[in-house]
Amino acid sequence: MTACIALLGGSFDPVHNGHVALGAHFVRLLKADQLRVIPTLPWQKSALVAAPEQRAEMARLAFAGQPFPVAIDLQEIERGKPTYTVETLRALRAELGPDASLCFLMGADQLERFDTWHEWQALFGLANFCVAARPGFALDGPGVPPAVAAEFLRRLAEPDKVSNTAAGLACLAPELAVDISSTAIREALARGGEPNSLVPQVVLDYIEQHNLYKN
């Protein structure tokens, strides 16, 4: 039986309920054995507010108590320099072996810039890609670069096939309509707001204790 590992990378600055919903949704859909949450040091985002260790701790708090196995993977933070997704996937493949199904989770908005990711076409040799989309989203709609749309369309498969295949497939979950922005949350916190419905309470408590995102 092939292990299926769902991978959720993000800057988590701060982590929010949309991240948790995305991870939980695909764990159920894929019947994944584990969710790996990977706080990133992204090369495309430089203006992160919280320190890497704080972002990792917020992720740990947000995903604690889920009814499925969760691991917080610190490899990108421990490298100490901005990392490309392809490097992280190569490290995970080396760790977990050639047969594990690695399923990289992402929002449909990330597809709009997927062709700017380093060695983006090589990524399919390392993992499957699972996209959460709003109802009505189409891969071949406006906003998705044609080359990206073509790759995803030809690789589309049902979740049960994806979870039993090591890499190279894609699946689309069009029923997850979570539209939460970490940027908007930071702005609300800076104004003294409490975005209680958007961020787990344990994370809001941590933000308060560490005086994060205040002007």
Side-chain angles (χ1 to χ4, degrees), residues 133-160:
R134 295 171 191 82
F137 170 83
L139 277 170
D140 52 0
V144 180
V148 173
E151 281 293 341
F152 274 82
L153 283 165
R154 76 183 184 85
R155 296 173 185 277
L156 277 182
E158 292 299 313
D160 58 344

PDB file of all heavy atoms in Angstrom, residues 133-160:
ATOM      1  N   ALA A 133     -10.437  25.138  -5.831  1.00  0.00           N
ATOM      2  CA  ALA A 133     -10.960  26.221  -6.662  1.00  0.00           C
ATOM      3  C   ALA A 133     -12.355  26.627  -6.204  1.00  0.00           C
ATOM      4  O   ALA A 133     -13.094  25.832  -5.637  1.00  0.00           O
ATOM      5  CB  ALA A 133     -11.023  25.769  -8.119  1.00  0.00           C
ATOM      6  N   ARG A 134     -12.672  27.886  -6.476  1.00  0.00           N
ATOM      7  CA  ARG A 134     -14.026  28.356  -6.216  1.00  0.00           C
ATOM      8  C   ARG A 134     -14.973  27.716  -7.227  1.00  0.00           C
ATOM      9  O   ARG A 134     -14.571  27.398  -8.342  1.00  0.00           O
ATOM     10  CB  ARG A 134     -14.083  29.877  -6.364  1.00  0.00           C
ATOM     11  CG  ARG A 134     -13.255  30.616  -5.323  1.00  0.00           C
ATOM     12  CD  ARG A 134     -13.153  32.106  -5.638  1.00  0.00           C
ATOM     13  NE  ARG A 134     -12.152  32.722  -4.769  1.00  0.00           N
ATOM     14  CZ  ARG A 134     -10.851  32.688  -4.998  1.00  0.00           C
ATOM     15  NH1 ARG A 134     -10.386  32.087  -6.075  1.00  0.00           N
ATOM     16  NH2 ARG A 134     -10.010  33.252  -4.163  1.00  0.00           N
ATOM     17  N   PRO A 135     -16.248  27.581  -6.859  1.00  0.00           N
ATOM     18  CA  PRO A 135     -17.231  27.070  -7.822  1.00  0.00           C
ATOM     19  C   PRO A 135     -17.222  27.919  -9.096  1.00  0.00           C
ATOM     20  O   PRO A 135     -17.135  29.148  -9.038  1.00  0.00           O
ATOM     21  CB  PRO A 135     -18.562  27.218  -7.071  1.00  0.00           C
ATOM     22  CG  PRO A 135     -18.181  27.174  -5.624  1.00  0.00           C
ATOM     23  CD  PRO A 135     -16.842  27.828  -5.529  1.00  0.00           C
ATOM     24  N   GLY A 136     -17.253  27.243 -10.229  1.00  0.00           N
ATOM     25  CA  GLY A 136     -17.247  27.961 -11.501  1.00  0.00           C
ATOM     26  C   GLY A 136     -15.865  28.167 -12.088  1.00  0.00           C
ATOM     27  O   GLY A 136     -15.735  28.565 -13.240  1.00  0.00           O
ATOM     28  N   PHE A 137     -14.803  27.861 -11.309  1.00  0.00           N
ATOM     29  CA  PHE A 137     -13.447  28.023 -11.829  1.00  0.00           C
ATOM     30  C   PHE A 137     -13.179  26.998 -12.935  1.00  0.00           C
ATOM     31  O   PHE A 137     -13.583  25.844 -12.838  1.00  0.00           O
ATOM     32  CB  PHE A 137     -12.426  27.831 -10.702  1.00  0.00           C
ATOM     33  CG  PHE A 137     -11.001  27.752 -11.176  1.00  0.00           C
ATOM     34  CD1 PHE A 137     -10.285  28.901 -11.429  1.00  0.00           C
ATOM     35  CD2 PHE A 137     -10.387  26.524 -11.391  1.00  0.00           C
ATOM     36  CE1 PHE A 137      -8.974  28.839 -11.880  1.00  0.00           C
ATOM     37  CE2 PHE A 137      -9.080  26.446 -11.840  1.00  0.00           C
ATOM     38  CZ  PHE A 137      -8.380  27.616 -12.081  1.00  0.00           C
ATOM     39  N   ALA A 138     -12.513  27.424 -13.991  1.00  0.00           N
ATOM     40  CA  ALA A 138     -12.122  26.509 -15.067  1.00  0.00           C
ATOM     41  C   ALA A 138     -10.632  26.670 -15.336  1.00  0.00           C
ATOM     42  O   ALA A 138     -10.117  27.794 -15.375  1.00  0.00           O
ATOM     43  CB  ALA A 138     -12.910  26.814 -16.338  1.00  0.00           C
ATOM     44  N   LEU A 139      -9.944  25.546 -15.492  1.00  0.00           N
ATOM     45  CA  LEU A 139      -8.503  25.594 -15.760  1.00  0.00           C
ATOM     46  C   LEU A 139      -8.192  26.389 -17.027  1.00  0.00           C
ATOM     47  O   LEU A 139      -7.176  27.075 -17.098  1.00  0.00           O
ATOM     48  CB  LEU A 139      -7.945  24.175 -15.896  1.00  0.00           C
ATOM     49  CG  LEU A 139      -7.593  23.450 -14.599  1.00  0.00           C
ATOM     50  CD1 LEU A 139      -7.295  21.995 -14.883  1.00  0.00           C
ATOM     51  CD2 LEU A 139      -6.405  24.108 -13.909  1.00  0.00           C
ATOM     52  N   ASP A 140      -9.071  26.269 -18.019  1.00  0.00           N
ATOM     53  CA  ASP A 140      -8.800  26.956 -19.281  1.00  0.00           C
ATOM     54  C   ASP A 140      -9.484  28.329 -19.339  1.00  0.00           C
ATOM     55  O   ASP A 140      -9.654  28.912 -20.409  1.00  0.00           O
ATOM     56  CB  ASP A 140      -9.230  26.097 -20.478  1.00  0.00           C
ATOM     57  CG  ASP A 140     -10.676  25.605 -20.364  1.00  0.00           C
ATOM     58  OD1 ASP A 140     -11.341  25.945 -19.351  1.00  0.00           O
ATOM     59  OD2 ASP A 140     -11.128  24.904 -21.269  1.00  0.00           O
ATOM     60  N   GLY A 141      -9.862  28.840 -18.175  1.00  0.00           N
ATOM     61  CA  GLY A 141     -10.478  30.165 -18.113  1.00  0.00           C
ATOM     62  C   GLY A 141      -9.424  31.260 -18.131  1.00  0.00           C
ATOM     63  O   GLY A 141      -8.216  30.997 -18.147  1.00  0.00           O
ATOM     64  N   PRO A 142      -9.864  32.509 -18.129  1.00  0.00           N
ATOM     65  CA  PRO A 142      -8.916  33.622 -18.131  1.00  0.00           C
ATOM     66  C   PRO A 142      -8.100  33.638 -16.840  1.00  0.00           C
ATOM     67  O   PRO A 142      -8.580  33.238 -15.784  1.00  0.00           O
ATOM     68  CB  PRO A 142      -9.820  34.860 -18.230  1.00  0.00           C
ATOM     69  CG  PRO A 142     -11.147  34.406 -17.706  1.00  0.00           C
ATOM     70  CD  PRO A 142     -11.259  32.964 -18.060  1.00  0.00           C
ATOM     71  N   GLY A 143      -6.878  34.063 -16.940  1.00  0.00           N
ATOM     72  CA  GLY A 143      -6.037  34.167 -15.744  1.00  0.00           C
ATOM     73  C   GLY A 143      -5.022  33.048 -15.622  1.00  0.00           C
ATOM     74  O   GLY A 143      -3.953  33.245 -15.062  1.00  0.00           O
ATOM     75  N   VAL A 144      -5.350  31.860 -16.112  1.00  0.00           N
ATOM     76  CA  VAL A 144      -4.389  30.749 -16.039  1.00  0.00           C
ATOM     77  C   VAL A 144      -3.583  30.731 -17.337  1.00  0.00           C
ATOM     78  O   VAL A 144      -4.161  30.635 -18.418  1.00  0.00           O
ATOM     79  CB  VAL A 144      -5.104  29.391 -15.834  1.00  0.00           C
ATOM     80  CG1 VAL A 144      -4.084  28.266 -15.752  1.00  0.00           C
ATOM     81  CG2 VAL A 144      -5.965  29.423 -14.584  1.00  0.00           C
ATOM     82  N   PRO A 145      -2.245  30.832 -17.256  1.00  0.00           N
ATOM     83  CA  PRO A 145      -1.434  30.810 -18.478  1.00  0.00           C
ATOM     84  C   PRO A 145      -1.720  29.552 -19.296  1.00  0.00           C
ATOM     85  O   PRO A 145      -1.853  28.454 -18.731  1.00  0.00           O
ATOM     86  CB  PRO A 145       0.005  30.817 -17.949  1.00  0.00           C
ATOM     87  CG  PRO A 145      -0.087  31.421 -16.580  1.00  0.00           C
ATOM     88  CD  PRO A 145      -1.417  30.984 -16.048  1.00  0.00           C
ATOM     89  N   PRO A 146      -1.828  29.669 -20.611  1.00  0.00           N
ATOM     90  CA  PRO A 146      -2.191  28.520 -21.446  1.00  0.00           C
ATOM     91  C   PRO A 146      -1.293  27.302 -21.248  1.00  0.00           C
ATOM     92  O   PRO A 146      -1.785  26.167 -21.244  1.00  0.00           O
ATOM     93  CB  PRO A 146      -2.072  29.071 -22.875  1.00  0.00           C
ATOM     94  CG  PRO A 146      -2.321  30.535 -22.735  1.00  0.00           C
ATOM     95  CD  PRO A 146      -1.742  30.924 -21.407  1.00  0.00           C
ATOM     96  N   ALA A 147       0.009  27.515 -21.076  1.00  0.00           N
ATOM     97  CA  ALA A 147       0.922  26.371 -20.891  1.00  0.00           C
ATOM     98  C   ALA A 147       0.615  25.640 -19.587  1.00  0.00           C
ATOM     99  O   ALA A 147       0.671  24.406 -19.523  1.00  0.00           O
ATOM    100  CB  ALA A 147       2.370  26.846 -20.909  1.00  0.00           C
ATOM    101  N   VAL A 148       0.284  26.403 -18.542  1.00  0.00           N
ATOM    102  CA  VAL A 148      -0.069  25.806 -17.246  1.00  0.00           C
ATOM    103  C   VAL A 148      -1.389  25.049 -17.370  1.00  0.00           C
ATOM    104  O   VAL A 148      -1.514  23.901 -16.920  1.00  0.00           O
ATOM    105  CB  VAL A 148      -0.157  26.900 -16.153  1.00  0.00           C
ATOM    106  CG1 VAL A 148      -0.695  26.316 -14.851  1.00  0.00           C
ATOM    107  CG2 VAL A 148       1.208  27.547 -15.934  1.00  0.00           C
ATOM    108  N   ALA A 149      -2.381  25.686 -17.996  1.00  0.00           N
ATOM    109  CA  ALA A 149      -3.680  25.040 -18.180  1.00  0.00           C
ATOM    110  C   ALA A 149      -3.529  23.723 -18.942  1.00  0.00           C
ATOM    111  O   ALA A 149      -4.120  22.703 -18.565  1.00  0.00           O
ATOM    112  CB  ALA A 149      -4.628  25.982 -18.926  1.00  0.00           C
ATOM    113  N   ALA A 150      -2.714  23.732 -19.992  1.00  0.00           N
ATOM    114  CA  ALA A 150      -2.526  22.524 -20.805  1.00  0.00           C
ATOM    115  C   ALA A 150      -1.915  21.396 -19.981  1.00  0.00           C
ATOM    116  O   ALA A 150      -2.355  20.235 -20.066  1.00  0.00           O
ATOM    117  CB  ALA A 150      -1.645  22.843 -22.014  1.00  0.00           C
ATOM    118  N   GLU A 151      -0.899  21.720 -19.172  1.00  0.00           N
ATOM    119  CA  GLU A 151      -0.259  20.688 -18.331  1.00  0.00           C
ATOM    120  C   GLU A 151      -1.263  20.089 -17.354  1.00  0.00           C
ATOM    121  O   GLU A 151      -1.338  18.871 -17.188  1.00  0.00           O
ATOM    122  CB  GLU A 151       0.920  21.277 -17.553  1.00  0.00           C
ATOM    123  CG  GLU A 151       2.194  21.432 -18.359  1.00  0.00           C
ATOM    124  CD  GLU A 151       2.820  20.096 -18.763  1.00  0.00           C
ATOM    125  OE1 GLU A 151       2.505  19.045 -18.160  1.00  0.00           O
ATOM    126  OE2 GLU A 151       3.634  20.106 -19.697  1.00  0.00           O
ATOM    127  N   PHE A 152      -2.026  20.958 -16.669  1.00  0.00           N
ATOM    128  CA  PHE A 152      -2.959  20.462 -15.665  1.00  0.00           C
ATOM    129  C   PHE A 152      -4.103  19.672 -16.315  1.00  0.00           C
ATOM    130  O   PHE A 152      -4.510  18.626 -15.798  1.00  0.00           O
ATOM    131  CB  PHE A 152      -3.493  21.617 -14.809  1.00  0.00           C
ATOM    132  CG  PHE A 152      -2.604  21.949 -13.644  1.00  0.00           C
ATOM    133  CD1 PHE A 152      -1.485  22.763 -13.807  1.00  0.00           C
ATOM    134  CD2 PHE A 152      -2.860  21.428 -12.381  1.00  0.00           C
ATOM    135  CE1 PHE A 152      -0.656  23.057 -12.736  1.00  0.00           C
ATOM    136  CE2 PHE A 152      -2.030  21.718 -11.306  1.00  0.00           C
ATOM    137  CZ  PHE A 152      -0.924  22.534 -11.472  1.00  0.00           C
ATOM    138  N   LEU A 153      -4.606  20.159 -17.428  1.00  0.00           N
ATOM    139  CA  LEU A 153      -5.729  19.478 -18.077  1.00  0.00           C
ATOM    140  C   LEU A 153      -5.351  18.066 -18.509  1.00  0.00           C
ATOM    141  O   LEU A 153      -6.143  17.126 -18.377  1.00  0.00           O
ATOM    142  CB  LEU A 153      -6.220  20.299 -19.282  1.00  0.00           C
ATOM    143  CG  LEU A 153      -7.077  21.518 -18.929  1.00  0.00           C
ATOM    144  CD1 LEU A 153      -7.201  22.456 -20.117  1.00  0.00           C
ATOM    145  CD2 LEU A 153      -8.467  21.080 -18.442  1.00  0.00           C
ATOM    146  N   ARG A 154      -4.133  17.898 -19.021  1.00  0.00           N
ATOM    147  CA  ARG A 154      -3.769  16.564 -19.507  1.00  0.00           C
ATOM    148  C   ARG A 154      -3.408  15.603 -18.374  1.00  0.00           C
ATOM    149  O   ARG A 154      -3.313  14.396 -18.584  1.00  0.00           O
ATOM    150  CB  ARG A 154      -2.648  16.647 -20.545  1.00  0.00           C
ATOM    151  CG  ARG A 154      -1.261  16.907 -20.036  1.00  0.00           C
ATOM    152  CD  ARG A 154      -0.276  17.039 -21.202  1.00  0.00           C
ATOM    153  NE  ARG A 154       1.107  17.205 -20.757  1.00  0.00           N
ATOM    154  CZ  ARG A 154       1.914  16.208 -20.459  1.00  0.00           C
ATOM    155  NH1 ARG A 154       1.486  14.957 -20.527  1.00  0.00           N
ATOM    156  NH2 ARG A 154       3.159  16.449 -20.071  1.00  0.00           N
ATOM    157  N   ARG A 155      -3.225  16.157 -17.183  1.00  0.00           N
ATOM    158  CA  ARG A 155      -2.857  15.316 -16.036  1.00  0.00           C
ATOM    159  C   ARG A 155      -4.019  15.073 -15.075  1.00  0.00           C
ATOM    160  O   ARG A 155      -3.862  14.371 -14.077  1.00  0.00           O
ATOM    161  CB  ARG A 155      -1.702  15.980 -15.271  1.00  0.00           C
ATOM    162  CG  ARG A 155      -0.419  16.084 -16.084  1.00  0.00           C
ATOM    163  CD  ARG A 155       0.648  16.901 -15.342  1.00  0.00           C
ATOM    164  NE  ARG A 155       1.845  17.115 -16.151  1.00  0.00           N
ATOM    165  CZ  ARG A 155       2.841  16.249 -16.281  1.00  0.00           C
ATOM    166  NH1 ARG A 155       2.774  15.076 -15.644  1.00  0.00           N
ATOM    167  NH2 ARG A 155       3.889  16.520 -17.031  1.00  0.00           N
ATOM    168  N   LEU A 156      -5.177  15.640 -15.340  1.00  0.00           N
ATOM    169  CA  LEU A 156      -6.308  15.545 -14.406  1.00  0.00           C
ATOM    170  C   LEU A 156      -6.702  14.097 -14.145  1.00  0.00           C
ATOM    171  O   LEU A 156      -6.780  13.284 -15.063  1.00  0.00           O
ATOM    172  CB  LEU A 156      -7.522  16.301 -14.949  1.00  0.00           C
ATOM    173  CG  LEU A 156      -7.580  17.810 -14.706  1.00  0.00           C
ATOM    174  CD1 LEU A 156      -8.885  18.371 -15.266  1.00  0.00           C
ATOM    175  CD2 LEU A 156      -7.445  18.161 -13.231  1.00  0.00           C
ATOM    176  N   ALA A 157      -6.958  13.795 -12.875  1.00  0.00           N
ATOM    177  CA  ALA A 157      -7.373  12.446 -12.480  1.00  0.00           C
ATOM    178  C   ALA A 157      -8.256  12.545 -11.245  1.00  0.00           C
ATOM    179  O   ALA A 157      -8.275  13.573 -10.563  1.00  0.00           O
ATOM    180  CB  ALA A 157      -6.148  11.576 -12.195  1.00  0.00           C
ATOM    181  N   GLU A 158      -8.970  11.467 -10.965  1.00  0.00           N
ATOM    182  CA  GLU A 158      -9.803  11.423  -9.762  1.00  0.00           C
ATOM    183  C   GLU A 158      -8.913  11.307  -8.521  1.00  0.00           C
ATOM    184  O   GLU A 158      -7.817  10.733  -8.589  1.00  0.00           O
ATOM    185  CB  GLU A 158     -10.760  10.226  -9.830  1.00  0.00           C
ATOM    186  CG  GLU A 158     -11.824  10.362 -10.900  1.00  0.00           C
ATOM    187  CD  GLU A 158     -12.722  11.573 -10.669  1.00  0.00           C
ATOM    188  OE1 GLU A 158     -13.192  11.765  -9.534  1.00  0.00           O
ATOM    189  OE2 GLU A 158     -12.947  12.338 -11.634  1.00  0.00           O
ATOM    190  N   PRO A 159      -9.389  11.822  -7.372  1.00  0.00           N
ATOM    191  CA  PRO A 159      -8.566  11.803  -6.156  1.00  0.00           C
ATOM    192  C   PRO A 159      -8.038  10.425  -5.775  1.00  0.00           C
ATOM    193  O   PRO A 159      -6.896  10.293  -5.334  1.00  0.00           O
ATOM    194  CB  PRO A 159      -9.519  12.356  -5.081  1.00  0.00           C
ATOM    195  CG  PRO A 159     -10.457  13.220  -5.834  1.00  0.00           C
ATOM    196  CD  PRO A 159     -10.650  12.558  -7.168  1.00  0.00           C
ATOM    197  N   ASP A 160      -8.852   9.360  -5.964  1.00  0.00           N
ATOM    198  CA  ASP A 160      -8.373   8.036  -5.547  1.00  0.00           C
ATOM    199  C   ASP A 160      -7.220   7.552  -6.411  1.00  0.00           C
ATOM    200  O   ASP A 160      -6.319   6.853  -5.940  1.00  0.00           O
ATOM    201  CB  ASP A 160      -9.514   7.007  -5.510  1.00  0.00           C
ATOM    202  CG  ASP A 160     -10.223   6.858  -6.848  1.00  0.00           C
ATOM    203  OD1 ASP A 160     -10.058   7.736  -7.715  1.00  0.00           O
ATOM    204  OD2 ASP A 160     -10.943   5.857  -7.027  1.00  0.00           O
TER     205      ASP A 160
END
